[in-house]
Amino acid sequence: MNSFLLTFLLSALTATALFAQPENLMPVPSEIKPGQDRFLLTSDFSCSISGTDQSRVLPAVSRLLKRLSKMTTLTFDPDTVLTPVQTPSLQISFQRAGKLTPGESESYQLNITRNSISLSAETDLGILHGLETLYQLTERSSAGFFFRSVSISDSPRFPWRGLMLDVCRHFFTAETVKRQIDAMSLVKLNVLHLHLSEDQGFRIESKTYPKLHELGSNGQYFTQDEMRDLIRYADLRGIRVMPEFDMPGHTTAWMAGYPELGSVPGPVKPEKRYGIFGSTMNPAKPETYTFLDTFLTEMSGLFPDEYFHIGGDENNGEQWDANPDIQKFKTENNLATNHDLQAYFNGKILDILTRNGKKMMGWDEIYQPSLPRNIVIHSWRGRDYMENSARDGYRSVLSNGYYIDLFYPAEKHYLNDPVPAASTLTDTEKARILGGEATMWAELVDEETLDMRIWPRTAAIAERLWSPGSVTDPDEMYRRLPEITRRLEETGLNPVTNRDKMLRRLAGTDQIQALKTLLNAVEPIEGYKRHSTKPGYTTFSPFSRGVDCALSDAPDVIKARLLIRNYKKTGSAAALAELTGLADAWISTGPKIKKLAESSPAVRELVPLAGSVSRLGVLFKSRLKAFASGKTTGETKAKETEIASLSKPVAELEPVIARLFDELKNHPAKK
Amino acid sequence: MNSFLLTFLLSALTATALFAQPENLMPVPSEIKPGQDRFLLTSDFSCSISGTDQSRVLPAVSRLLKRLSKMTTLTFDPDTVLTPVQTPSLQISFQRAGKLTPGESESYQLNITRNSISLSAETDLGILHGLETLYQLTERSSAGFFFRSVSISDSPRFPWRGLMLDVCRHFFTAETVKRQIDAMSLVKLNVLHLHLSEDQGFRIESKTYPKLHELGSNGQYFTQDEMRDLIRYADLRGIRVMPEFDMPGHTTAWMAGYPELGSVPGPVKPEKRYGIFGSTMNPAKPETYTFLDTFLTEMSGLFPDEYFHIGGDENNGEQWDANPDIQKFKTENNLATNHDLQAYFNGKILDILTRNGKKMMGWDEIYQPSLPRNIVIHSWRGRDYMENSARDGYRSVLSNGYYIDLFYPAEKHYLNDPVPAASTLTDTEKARILGGEATMWAELVDEETLDMRIWPRTAAIAERLWSPGSVTDPDEMYRRLPEITRRLEETGLNPVTNRDKMLRRLAGTDQIQALKTLLNAVEPIEGYKRHSTKPGYTTFSPFSRGVDCALSDAPDVIKARLLIRNYKKTGSAAALAELTGLADAWISTGPKIKKLAESSPAVRELVPLAGSVSRLGVLFKSRLKAFASGKTTGETKAKETEIASLSKPVAELEPVIARLFDELKNHPAKK
């Protein structure tokens, strides 16, 4: 009943949310002028393309037609649709093929009238974005599927809009990565950053040093053929693929095949546990650089992107301190600290990459004034690293605040602006901030949960990086999130389906409604808290518990918050009734989960949680009643203590209903 | 509410169906003796393996552990589980690695006691089957996950238990094919027959004739690397991969790259429409055999299986008749009919295959007494072809009656025994019948619907081919089908999730319950009826309509039938109440679908269907009431006419509620 309610309520709130509309676009375009007419989508839909190199646009039109076919159940055979006619329904024109490089033109103009659609752009990349906008604009009515007439002129705020995917802690198949590329394309992201080496795995075939993937991957890696195919797949969607090889730390998996690279003697195996293990390359041996020269030259040939990420994070220096040769090397080369030594190492890598025509990028640890200004600093520890880099003449990309592996709600990421209105940087410095990347570290995620951990939250980040800085209303973002989730699902992602599947397995039955009610009211504990649980996660942990089925934006609590705000604005009796319904569902979850746990052992750990949610439901219902009758004060001290106590995490899950009590404090004048 | 009801009801009916039990196994083992104890599955589970070549068993144990981990949420790291201990929980022992050839030993013995599990077999293939049985035996209780103590001695009835997958009319990715292999392994099928060439597509990379896949596939084909990987994947699961290249007919896609192979001049493109197109290789040119010699030699090297399928079906002879050279060739070689000419062609192919160490197989058109007795006849047009072949000394495999693309209910396939009790064949002749293959022709199925079109019905066929011939009760099969569906989902298949996703897209909202109620009461029209609709399907048709979300076993009608039979046996008031609830749901579907269609254009075609279901619901409820009050007669003539009229197909869907009326005719003595 809850997902039913969610859709129903959100549509009740907005009167328009049920079907896509210009105001449902994500990301929001820079300029949009709605019209009054409708373009009706019929089976005689036709399309013309004018532009020299159509190698990206033609398949993009085919993909759009396929999705429209599936949605409308009309047959759109590309051969038929593209057969020349006098006045094509959709006229596409562009000047030239875009280069996949930051700053390339990605803008487009889309104009929909009653009788025709025109989409124009300088580059084919703009056309790709315009086609995705068009897809998001599809609406339904009793008369059929249609596009509302509209005039859109759109271009991105930042040139670097990325998703970093860690394929090392858990591996993801090429097909799964392609799905992420499809989703990125839907929300106009343009950089897929693949984190390819780690303590837990080395994930790309090397022909020059085959023991890297043979002994470092447990058999799970991309072949070079697969990677070329992935890169081509991304290119066709206007998305760059940037490789990362994390060095000199986080390198246990390299040493499995080549222990001589290490600062301490081997042998080692890829790690199964998580954390910082200290495994570090030996920067004092010339052989290390010979190895890296050959290897990085090989990889520079495989990955056509001009940027090359060398990681560089979390080298704790322990292995360097313990190795007398390395200490001696430091002294001989006047390298006072390990940071200096790492800068020396980075300089050597930079030479190799430069020789291969690459621009070097690294996590903010590589920021060191001795390095030239054409490297890119990737800020993860704090936005001050980014801002300092910008002042110091370096370009940078922000990931601090976009760590989607840490279970924070979409709102937190959404409000994290790389260049906020209050920024004290000069315009020149601001221009050095290229954009941002959502980072999906993969300790606590696997094939099954990946889609729902990345999406839809990354759509909110995509909007932050594409749309004007003035687009900042989280409620408005949350209103559109279910709509983009449906689009994601239509595009092939599984944020909804996999969750249902997991709930059925957890419950051992198709009767998952009680479990869904519970898990829609709670959120996984945030930050690194799940990492510090006992006995601790490994690469073999099953990510199939209640916490793995919970979302970082508890859907029913988000829904309740929107309902309360609506009620406060409009006094809507329907909103109040729905809120009461939600409270009743929460109240009922305790006994239901207890019953389910009798036959579903994996549900047992959720029984105390369900008890808390039940009791919070009772308190919420009573607070709601008081509020509706005009009582605007808060809770008693005793109640507040009880609420705080009920909100304590259980089984790595936090009941977040308490957040709603604050919303019920200041009753506006009753209408 | 309906899937909830389904589970609830089936469990109410059997009191045990909710969780897996020995009596829920599919296929049913040949011998099973249940015990009284339980083996509790805990995190200190351990395993020992004794057997020389563990290359199949080790990964199989890992796969089992992964699924058990996911289900139980306990961590089973294979390294830990396989660490030697004094008394391992699971002791596996086998003699030797099995050969993937029909007739190889696949039997196993599984013995579960309170404290230990032993699994033994002659070959590792038996162990693989035993591990899947063990997985299916997992149960849940308040005390945790457990296996009921049991003693099983199991072996297959037929050595050839296959699934044929047409990857030509629609292409399926390697990942999708691997999913089918996983499912086959779950239900003990052992042959994946890949139909690799057709009028609509040529789906394997050829290094000797690259234009075959380059011009014949629209870019959708398996590379040889992918195919080797697939074959290895299947081998690890004890499954043979047999290729089929359909010749001399059904060959349009070959001619796209090599028109000189054809009996009429080119150029041609791969077909988009379906049917028999007459495109046929030219059997009169020596160059044809030179080409096929090179190509089939290449493919014989790629596919290690000893059997090689040459198709041979549906050559209508039109192109041969129209070609004077071919007519002349027939005369010169004393070939009276086109059938004789095809036998000549087959003889040439047989020579090539024999030289490559292959045994030839083909559809029953190739049956021709001039061919040697070591070929295998694949019966599709009728079981008489199989029986005649058997009498004539040929071995054969049955697919007639297993055409799962034709939307027949599981029961029809289930009752189709290759060697029924009443068979008039001698024992020697019977032994020539190797088994059967479910055939998934792919005109009306795509990536999204494949899993739900193949499964769970193919599990019923798998049971027919594995279990003793005495296991024949369809109700008992239908009782277990939801359970095996849950296992299939846990194993990675999407028969449930994809359907929900499709329903959300069709409805344009998450509120899919009304649509589900309607589509759970109807079935796609059967046989070739969907092929004759206007304007006709093509490879670009969207398979996203109501009919594509409907199942060949309407779940609520099956459920109602089981409930009625239960009610007739037990007089259960609960069963009666549930039946009334179903009737009420059917009654309500008319107005609900009408409302939904106002905003969901793709639903409009279902409105009249929902009207029929509504009215059938009214009639069913009234009949049910009469029946419950002891009236055992049938309907009036007028009512019967109305029911027949309401049961007419709409939008390629048949309301099958009428089938239940017959069940309500003979009321047993009231208790």
Side-chain angles (χ1 to χ4, degrees):
Chain A
M1 197 169 77
N2 280 321
S3 66
F4 172 101
L5 268 178
L6 177 60
T7 309
F8 178 75
L9 279 171
L10 291 178
S11 69
L13 282 177
T14 64
T16 56
L18 192 56
F19 305 113
Q21 307 221 355
E23 61 264 36
N24 281 346
L25 289 173
M26 186 173 274
V28 166
S30 29
E31 281 181 55
I32 178 164
K33 288 181 205 138
Q36 295 297 322
D37 255 330
R38 291 174 169 202
F39 176 98
L40 202 64
L41 190 53
T42 55
S43 56
D44 62 356
F45 187 76
S46 57
C47 173
S48 71
I49 306 175
S50 139
T52 41
D53 178 353
Q54 304 191 355
S55 58
R56 286 199 189 104
V57 172
L58 264 177
V61 167
S62 286
R63 291 195 303 275
L64 175 70
L65 291 176
K66 190 169 180 185
R67 280 183 291 170
L68 290 180
S69 268
K70 284 270 191 185
M71 187 198 299
T72 62
T73 70
L74 302 170
T75 298
F76 296 123
D77 177 342
D79 290 347
T80 314
V81 171
L82 289 161
T83 301
V85 292
Q86 194 145 19
T87 47
S89 325
L90 168 61
Q91 298 180 43
I92 296 174
S93 65
F94 62 98
Q95 314 289 316
R96 60 182 176 83
K99 280 186 196 158
L100 288 189
T101 184
E104 174 61 291
S105 168
E106 297 181 273
S107 64
Y108 68 92
Q109 291 76 44
L110 177 65
N111 202 46
I112 302 177
T113 67
R114 183 192 187 80
N115 298 314
S116 72
I117 305 170
S118 80
L119 172 61
S120 62
E122 183 182 340
T123 69
D124 54 355
L125 305 176
I127 298 296
L128 298 185
H129 292 313
L131 290 172
E132 292 300 328
T133 299
L134 184 62
Y135 168 64
Q136 284 195 31
L137 286 172
T138 332
E139 295 185 55
R140 296 159 193 244
S141 76
S142 58
F145 291 84
F146 67 94
F147 303 108
R148 199 165 292 222
S149 59
V150 71
S151 176
I152 290 175
S153 179
D154 200 8
S155 59
R157 182 168 166 223
F158 292 103
W160 191 299
R161 305 177 308 279
L163 168 66
M164 189 222 72
L165 186 58
D166 168 10
V167 295
C168 300
R169 271 63 174 253
H170 283 89
F171 182 68
F172 304 105
T173 63
E175 190 144 332
T176 296
V177 177
K178 285 182 179 175
R179 251 194 347 259
Q180 310 315 314
I181 293 172
D182 290 337
M184 292 172 68
S185 160
L186 178 70
V187 296
K188 303 182 169 58
L189 292 175
N190 66 357
V191 184
L192 175 64
H193 164 177
L194 288 178
H195 182 80
L196 288 166
S197 69
E198 252 304 339
D199 295 315
Q200 292 81 3
F202 192 97
R203 304 298 186 191
I204 179 84
E205 177 191 19
S206 168
K207 308 235 188 227
T208 57
Y209 293 104
K211 281 189 285 180
L212 285 171
H213 66 272
E214 285 168 8
L215 299 182
S217 74
N218 295 309
Q220 295 189 299
Y221 61 90
F222 301 108
T223 65
Q224 295 203 2
D225 278 346
E226 279 177 325
M227 187 52 70
R228 271 186 285 267
D229 180 51
L230 268 184
I231 291 167
R232 187 180 139 73
Y233 191 91
D235 182 294
L236 283 174
R237 285 150 185 84
I239 293 170
R240 300 163 41 208
V241 176
M242 176 178 67
E244 176 188 347
F245 293 94
D246 203 349
M247 302 177 281
H250 284 283
T251 44
T252 309
W254 302 61
M255 318 304 182
Y258 300 93
E260 62 271 27
L261 278 176
S263 298
V264 298
V268 294
K269 276 185 171 186
E271 288 289 346
K272 291 180 194 179
R273 302 205 148 257
Y274 304 129
I276 302 176
F277 298 99
S279 175
T280 316
M281 288 177 177
N282 188 334
K285 283 165 71 176
E287 294 85 351
T288 300
Y289 301 107
T290 312
F291 184 105
L292 290 175
D293 197 343
T294 306
F295 174 74
L296 294 175
T297 300
E298 180 188 12
M299 290 300 131
S300 295
L302 179 61
F303 292 92
D305 200 68
E306 62 183 316
Y307 291 83
F308 202 103
H309 203 298
I310 64 153
D313 58 315
E314 297 185 323
N315 169 16
N316 65 13
E318 282 174 13
Q319 291 196 351
W320 286 356
D321 292 342
N323 182 323
D325 292 343
I326 295 175
Q327 290 309 308
K328 194 167 152 232
F329 183 83
K330 274 168 74 175
T331 315
E332 285 169 2
N333 289 275
N334 292 318
L335 299 165
T337 65
N338 283 337
H339 189 64
D340 294 337
L341 179 54
Q342 188 163 343
Y344 170 89
F345 174 86
N346 290 342
K348 303 282 276 185
I349 304 303
L350 178 64
D351 289 346
I352 298 168
L353 292 178
T354 306
R355 232 183 303 122
N356 281 287
K358 299 295 184 190
K359 292 180 176 145
M360 188 167 95
M361 181 162 178
W363 300 107
D364 53 35
E365 282 96 334
I366 74 160
Y367 172 45
Q368 221 275 4
S370 70
L371 291 172
R373 294 301 180 268
N374 66 351
I375 68 168
V376 178
I377 306 296
H378 195 165
S379 158
W380 74 281
R381 288 179 299 171
R383 53 187 308 127
D384 43 338
Y385 291 94
M386 178 181 68
E387 287 167 4
N388 292 340
S389 305
R391 289 197 186 90
D392 207 8
Y394 291 99
R395 290 177 305 155
S396 60
V397 168
L398 183 67
S399 276
N400 179 271
Y402 298 136
Y403 266 45
I404 51 173
D405 60 313
L406 297 185
F407 307 100
Y408 291 113
E411 177 171 0
K412 187 180 163 82
H413 303 306
Y414 189 65
L415 296 177
N416 183 48
D417 195 324
V419 185
S423 170
T424 58
L425 297 179
T426 66
D427 283 353
T428 311
E429 289 160 1
K430 281 178 185 170
R432 292 190 187 118
I433 292 174
L434 299 177
E437 281 185 11
T439 44
M440 186 70 244
W441 300 104
E443 286 95 341
L444 304 180
V445 71
D446 66 6
E447 285 273 358
E448 199 166 45
T449 56
L450 184 71
D451 288 13
M452 73 170 174
R453 288 290 175 241
I454 298 184
W455 308 101
R457 287 182 303 150
T458 295
I461 297 176
E463 176 157 292
R464 174 60 44 242
L465 298 172
W466 176 283
S467 302
S470 55
V471 177
T472 54
D473 181 355
D475 282 4
E476 173 53 24
M477 178 273 289
Y478 276 121
R479 181 186 66 74
R480 286 174 292 136
L481 221 48
E483 178 66 24
I484 200 74
T485 304
R486 191 143 46 235
R487 294 298 185 185
L488 284 162
E489 195 180 39
E490 288 169 5
T491 302
L493 281 283
N494 297 317
V496 181
T497 49
N498 276 11
R499 188 174 182 235
D500 284 354
K501 186 194 289 197
M502 291 170 70
L503 291 172
R504 281 189 283 268
R505 184 179 53 208
L506 187 60
T509 157
D510 297 340
Q511 298 172 245
I512 56 174
Q513 199 46 63
L515 209 45
K516 224 169 181 173
T517 300
L518 173 64
L519 294 172
N520 279 352
V522 300
E523 292 174 1
I525 50 176
E526 292 174 350
Y528 290 98
K529 285 180 201 154
R530 289 190 68 191
H531 285 267
S532 20
T533 53
K534 299 286 170 200
Y537 285 100
T538 76
T539 54
F540 283 97
S541 301
F543 296 98
S544 55
R545 292 166 59 201
V547 62
D548 299 299
C549 306
L551 307 172
S552 297
D553 292 287
D556 287 349
V557 178
I558 303 282
K559 175 170 61 176
R561 190 169 69 195
L562 295 181
L563 280 167
I564 292 171
R565 291 178 185 177
N566 173 263
Y567 174 69
K568 282 160 89 168
K569 255 189 241 161
T570 66
S572 154
L576 189 64
E578 296 295 347
L579 281 164
T580 310
L582 271 176
D584 287 337
W586 291 332
I587 293 168
S588 75
T589 190
K592 281 184 183 165
I593 294 296
K594 202 169 166 189
K595 181 91 185 76
L596 181 62
E598 283 169 22
S599 52
S600 303
V603 171
R604 279 192 308 224
E605 64 169 354
L606 302 176
V607 172
L609 180 76
S612 298
V613 167
S614 260
R615 177 67 187 147
L616 281 166
V618 170
L619 296 173
F620 174 74
K621 192 175 177 182
S622 132
R623 177 82 204 115
L624 186 68
K625 204 174 163 188
F627 184 76
S629 67
K631 297 201 184 119
T632 62
T633 53
E635 298 298 338
T636 62
K637 200 77 195 164
K639 281 264 174 67
E640 276 184 5
T641 309
E642 189 189 2
I643 291 168
S645 163
L646 291 167
S647 302
K648 278 184 194 144
V650 177
E652 302 178 29
L653 285 163
E654 192 181 344
V656 292
I657 295 168
R659 290 186 198 153
L660 298 172
F661 286 75
D662 278 351
E663 300 276 340
L664 293 172
K665 262 187 190 151
N666 302 305
H667 196 296
K670 291 206 71 163
K671 302 207 172 189
Chain B
M1 198 170 76
N2 279 322
S3 66
F4 171 103
L5 267 179
L6 177 60
T7 309
F8 179 76
L9 279 171
L10 291 178
S11 70
L13 281 177
T14 65
T16 55
L18 194 55
F19 305 112
Q21 305 222 359
E23 61 264 35
N24 283 343
L25 289 173
M26 189 175 271
V28 166
S30 30
E31 280 182 55
I32 179 163
K33 287 181 207 138
Q36 295 298 321
D37 255 330
R38 292 174 168 201
F39 176 98
L40 202 64
L41 190 53
T42 56
S43 55
D44 62 356
F45 186 77
S46 56
C47 174
S48 71
I49 306 174
S50 140
T52 41
D53 177 355
Q54 304 191 354
S55 57
R56 286 199 190 105
V57 172
L58 263 178
V61 167
S62 287
R63 291 196 304 274
L64 175 71
L65 292 175
K66 190 168 181 185
R67 279 183 291 171
L68 290 179
S69 268
K70 285 270 188 184
M71 188 199 298
T72 62
T73 73
L74 302 170
T75 299
F76 297 123
D77 177 342
D79 290 347
T80 315
V81 171
L82 289 163
T83 301
V85 294
Q86 195 144 17
T87 47
S89 324
L90 168 62
Q91 299 181 43
I92 296 172
S93 65
F94 62 98
Q95 315 288 317
R96 60 180 176 86
K99 281 186 197 160
L100 288 188
T101 184
E104 173 62 293
S105 167
E106 298 180 272
S107 64
Y108 68 93
Q109 291 76 43
L110 176 66
N111 201 44
I112 303 178
T113 66
R114 181 190 187 84
N115 298 313
S116 72
I117 305 170
S118 79
L119 171 61
S120 60
E122 184 182 341
T123 70
D124 53 357
L125 305 176
I127 298 297
L128 298 184
H129 292 312
L131 290 172
E132 293 299 329
T133 299
L134 184 61
Y135 168 64
Q136 285 195 30
L137 287 172
T138 333
E139 295 184 54
R140 299 160 191 241
S141 76
S142 58
F145 291 83
F146 68 93
F147 303 107
R148 198 166 293 223
S149 58
V150 72
S151 177
I152 291 175
S153 180
D154 200 8
S155 59
R157 182 168 167 224
F158 293 103
W160 191 300
R161 306 176 308 278
L163 169 65
M164 189 224 71
L165 186 58
D166 168 10
V167 296
C168 300
R169 272 61 176 254
H170 283 88
F171 182 68
F172 304 105
T173 64
E175 193 144 329
T176 296
V177 177
K178 284 182 180 175
R179 249 190 356 257
Q180 309 317 315
I181 293 172
D182 290 337
M184 290 171 71
S185 160
L186 177 71
V187 296
K188 302 183 170 59
L189 291 176
N190 66 357
V191 183
L192 175 64
H193 164 178
L194 290 177
H195 181 79
L196 288 165
S197 69
E198 251 305 340
D199 294 314
Q200 292 81 4
F202 192 96
R203 304 300 186 192
I204 180 83
E205 177 190 20
S206 168
K207 309 235 189 229
T208 55
Y209 295 102
K211 283 189 282 180
L212 284 171
H213 65 274
E214 285 168 9
L215 299 182
S217 74
N218 295 309
Q220 295 189 299
Y221 62 90
F222 300 107
T223 64
Q224 295 203 2
D225 278 347
E226 280 177 324
M227 187 51 69
R228 271 185 285 268
D229 181 50
L230 268 183
I231 291 167
R232 188 180 137 74
Y233 190 92
D235 181 297
L236 284 173
R237 285 151 185 83
I239 293 170
R240 298 164 43 208
V241 176
M242 176 179 67
E244 176 189 346
F245 294 94
D246 203 350
M247 302 177 283
H250 285 282
T251 44
T252 310
W254 302 62
M255 317 305 183
Y258 300 93
E260 63 270 26
L261 278 175
S263 298
V264 298
V268 294
K269 278 184 167 187
E271 289 288 346
K272 292 179 190 178
R273 302 205 148 257
Y274 303 130
I276 302 175
F277 298 100
S279 176
T280 316
M281 289 177 177
N282 187 334
K285 283 164 72 177
E287 294 86 350
T288 300
Y289 302 106
T290 312
F291 183 106
L292 289 176
D293 196 344
T294 307
F295 174 74
L296 293 175
T297 299
E298 180 188 12
M299 291 301 131
S300 294
L302 178 62
F303 292 91
D305 200 69
E306 63 185 316
Y307 290 82
F308 203 105
H309 203 297
I310 63 153
D313 58 316
E314 297 187 321
N315 171 17
N316 64 13
E318 283 174 12
Q319 292 196 349
W320 286 355
D321 292 341
N323 183 323
D325 291 343
I326 296 176
Q327 290 309 308
K328 194 168 153 232
F329 184 84
K330 275 169 74 177
T331 314
E332 284 169 4
N333 289 273
N334 293 318
L335 300 164
T337 67
N338 283 336
H339 189 65
D340 293 337
L341 178 55
Q342 186 162 344
Y344 171 90
F345 175 86
N346 291 342
K348 301 284 275 184
I349 304 303
L350 178 63
D351 288 347
I352 297 169
L353 293 177
T354 306
R355 234 184 301 122
N356 281 287
K358 300 296 185 190
K359 291 180 177 147
M360 188 167 98
M361 179 162 176
W363 300 107
D364 51 36
E365 281 96 335
I366 73 161
Y367 171 45
Q368 221 275 6
S370 70
L371 290 171
R373 295 299 179 271
N374 65 349
I375 68 169
V376 179
I377 305 297
H378 196 164
S379 156
W380 75 281
R381 289 179 296 172
R383 55 186 309 128
D384 42 338
Y385 291 94
M386 178 181 70
E387 287 166 5
N388 291 341
S389 306
R391 288 196 187 93
D392 206 10
Y394 291 100
R395 290 176 307 155
S396 60
V397 169
L398 182 67
S399 276
N400 179 272
Y402 298 136
Y403 266 43
I404 52 174
D405 60 313
L406 297 186
F407 307 101
Y408 291 113
E411 178 172 358
K412 185 181 162 81
H413 303 305
Y414 189 65
L415 296 177
N416 183 48
D417 195 323
V419 186
S423 170
T424 58
L425 297 178
T426 67
D427 283 353
T428 312
E429 288 159 0
K430 281 179 185 168
R432 294 190 186 120
I433 293 176
L434 300 176
E437 283 187 10
T439 44
M440 186 69 246
W441 299 104
E443 286 94 341
L444 303 180
V445 71
D446 65 7
E447 285 274 358
E448 201 166 44
T449 55
L450 185 69
D451 287 14
M452 73 172 175
R453 288 289 175 241
I454 298 185
W455 308 102
R457 285 182 303 151
T458 296
I461 297 175
E463 176 157 294
R464 173 60 43 239
L465 298 173
W466 176 282
S467 302
S470 56
V471 177
T472 53
D473 181 355
D475 282 3
E476 174 53 26
M477 178 273 289
Y478 277 122
R479 180 185 68 74
R480 286 174 291 135
L481 220 48
E483 178 66 24
I484 201 74
T485 304
R486 192 143 46 238
R487 295 298 184 185
L488 284 162
E489 194 179 40
E490 288 170 5
T491 301
L493 281 283
N494 298 315
V496 181
T497 50
N498 276 10
R499 187 175 182 233
D500 284 353
K501 185 194 289 196
M502 291 171 71
L503 290 172
R504 282 189 284 269
R505 185 180 53 209
L506 187 59
T509 157
D510 296 341
Q511 298 173 245
I512 56 173
Q513 199 47 64
L515 210 44
K516 224 170 180 170
T517 300
L518 172 63
L519 293 173
N520 280 352
V522 300
E523 292 174 1
I525 50 177
E526 293 174 349
Y528 289 99
K529 286 182 202 155
R530 289 190 69 192
H531 286 267
S532 19
T533 54
K534 300 288 169 196
Y537 285 99
T538 76
T539 55
F540 283 97
S541 301
F543 296 97
S544 55
R545 292 165 60 200
V547 63
D548 299 299
C549 306
L551 307 172
S552 298
D553 292 288
D556 287 349
V557 178
I558 302 283
K559 175 169 60 179
R561 190 170 69 195
L562 295 181
L563 279 167
I564 292 171
R565 292 180 185 175
N566 174 263
Y567 174 69
K568 281 158 91 168
K569 253 188 243 161
T570 67
S572 155
L576 188 63
E578 297 295 346
L579 281 164
T580 310
L582 271 177
D584 287 336
W586 291 331
I587 293 168
S588 74
T589 192
K592 282 184 182 166
I593 294 297
K594 203 172 167 190
K595 181 93 185 74
L596 181 62
E598 284 169 20
S599 53
S600 303
V603 171
R604 279 192 307 225
E605 64 170 355
L606 302 176
V607 172
L609 181 75
S612 298
V613 167
S614 260
R615 178 65 187 148
L616 282 166
V618 170
L619 296 174
F620 175 73
K621 192 175 176 183
S622 132
R623 176 83 203 113
L624 186 67
K625 204 173 161 190
F627 184 76
S629 66
K631 297 197 183 122
T632 61
T633 54
E635 299 297 338
T636 62
K637 200 77 196 165
K639 279 266 175 67
E640 275 184 6
T641 308
E642 187 187 4
I643 291 169
S645 164
L646 290 167
S647 300
K648 278 184 194 144
V650 177
E652 302 178 27
L653 285 164
E654 191 180 345
V656 291
I657 295 169
R659 288 186 199 153
L660 298 172
F661 286 75
D662 277 349
E663 300 276 339
L664 292 172
K665 263 186 189 151
N666 303 305
H667 197 297
K670 291 207 74 165
K671 299 205 176 192

